[in-house]
């Protein structure tokens, strides 16, 4: 699928909507993140519900309700596990021009007076990426790490330390011990 065609599936029409709530549903999977450069999310399934609430002719509130799971690899034992996540985010959509006075506010999107649709793919990408844990470990889902793998990794790291001692460190250790004695 061509990148432009892919992103066009995430366009929602806000123009000509009556005042009140309008619901849009999307399903996001791993291929969604392949269209974003340097994405840290690899495997994922998520449902996205967007409630567009028209307040008046120039103001809309978008509530993003995301629920899904990411397949992650443990930073300690390298086991794969499914990490469930949920997110509820709000974006205010204003029709008009962005100026210096309103740049400081987060989660406010501006569209031009002639725009009729809003592409929400970037919002989905950001909201899901925020749920990616900094430290990915089996404890996140109440699971214990693979003891065999941890043991093997310990053995490998001990063997490599024993075999590769930089001689400069020995000189520094001698200097440190000499300073302690004085």
């Amino acid at each position: 699928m061509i990148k432009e065609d892919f992103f066009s599936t995430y366009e929602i029409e806000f123009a000509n909507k009556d005042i009140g709530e309008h619901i849009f549903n999307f399903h996001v999977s791993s291929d969604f993140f392949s269209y974003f450069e340097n994405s840290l999310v690899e495997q994922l399934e998520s449902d996205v519900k967007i409630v567009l609430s028209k307040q008046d002719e120039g103001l809309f509130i978008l509530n993003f309700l995301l629920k899904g799971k990411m397949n992650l690899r443990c930073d300690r034992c390298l086991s794969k596990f499914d990490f469930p996540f949920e997110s509820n985010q709000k974006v205010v959509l204003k029709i008009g021009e962005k100026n210096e006075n309103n740049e400081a506010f987060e989660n406010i999107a501006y569209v031009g007076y002639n725009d009729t649709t809003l592409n929400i793919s970037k919002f989905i990408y950001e909201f899901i990426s925020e749920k990616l844990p900094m430290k990915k470990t089996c404890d996140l889902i109440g699971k214990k790490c693979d003891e065999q793998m941890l043991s093997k990794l310990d053995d490998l790291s001990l063997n490599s330390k024993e075999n590769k001692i930089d001689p400069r460190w020995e000189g520094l250790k001698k200097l440190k011990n000499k300073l302690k004695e004085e």
Side-chain angles (χ1 to χ4, degrees):
M1 184 182 287
I2 299 173
K3 197 172 188 176
E4 291 79 26
D5 290 341
F6 176 79
F7 285 117
S8 68
T9 61
Y10 293 94
E11 295 277 336
I12 60 171
E13 186 176 336
F14 61 86
N16 302 323
K17 296 284 185 199
D18 295 329
I19 291 179
E21 290 186 349
H22 308 276
I23 297 174
F24 301 89
N25 291 299
F26 296 92
H27 182 76
V28 176
S29 59
S30 302
D31 65 330
F32 176 84
F33 286 88
S34 68
Y35 287 93
F36 291 89
E37 289 183 30
N38 304 318
S39 174
L40 297 174
V41 177
E42 293 174 10
Q43 294 181 314
L44 167 127
E45 293 291 325
S46 177
D47 290 318
V48 180
K49 178 180 178 182
I50 299 168
V51 179
L52 172 76
S53 178
K54 183 173 182 178
Q55 306 295 305
D56 63 36
E57 287 307 313
L59 180 66
F60 300 83
I61 296 175
L62 293 129
N63 284 309
F64 287 77
L65 307 162
L66 300 102
K67 185 176 184 176
K69 63 181 177 178
M70 297 178 201
N71 189 269
L72 304 176
R73 186 172 297 278
C74 179
D75 292 337
R76 281 190 290 229
C77 71
L78 305 177
S79 297
K80 285 192 166 194
F81 63 93
D82 286 334
F83 175 69
F85 69 91
E86 286 187 36
S87 182
N88 187 353
Q89 301 285 336
K90 189 179 288 190
V91 174
V92 175
L93 177 65
K94 289 186 173 186
I95 297 175
E97 306 227 355
K98 185 176 185 177
N99 61 43
E100 292 175 16
N101 294 336
N102 54 27
E103 278 186 8
F105 298 105
E106 290 185 29
N107 290 352
I108 296 180
Y110 292 89
V111 291
Y113 292 107
N114 296 326
D115 291 335
T116 59
T117 62
L118 175 70
N119 190 303
I120 47 97
S121 61
K122 188 172 180 179
F123 294 114
I124 294 171
Y125 172 80
E126 288 177 6
F127 296 149
I128 291 176
S129 294
E130 287 174 359
K131 290 299 179 182
L132 184 67
M134 293 286 282
K135 188 174 182 182
K136 300 174 275 301
T137 59
C138 294
D139 324 2
L140 292 172
I141 60 167
K143 182 179 154 187
K144 290 191 177 218
C145 282
D146 182 347
E147 291 297 328
Q148 280 184 311
M149 181 60 86
L150 290 176
S151 176
K152 183 69 175 170
L153 289 171
D154 263 354
D155 290 346
L156 290 172
S157 67
L158 288 175
N159 288 340
S160 66
K161 285 180 185 176
E162 290 171 6
N163 295 335
K164 297 179 183 177
I165 296 177
D166 189 336
R168 294 175 288 184
W169 295 116
E170 285 301 317
L172 287 172
K173 283 183 185 178
K174 287 178 187 175
L175 181 61
K176 181 181 169 185
N177 290 337
K178 189 176 185 179
L179 289 173
K180 280 185 181 178
E181 291 173 3
E182 293 178 2

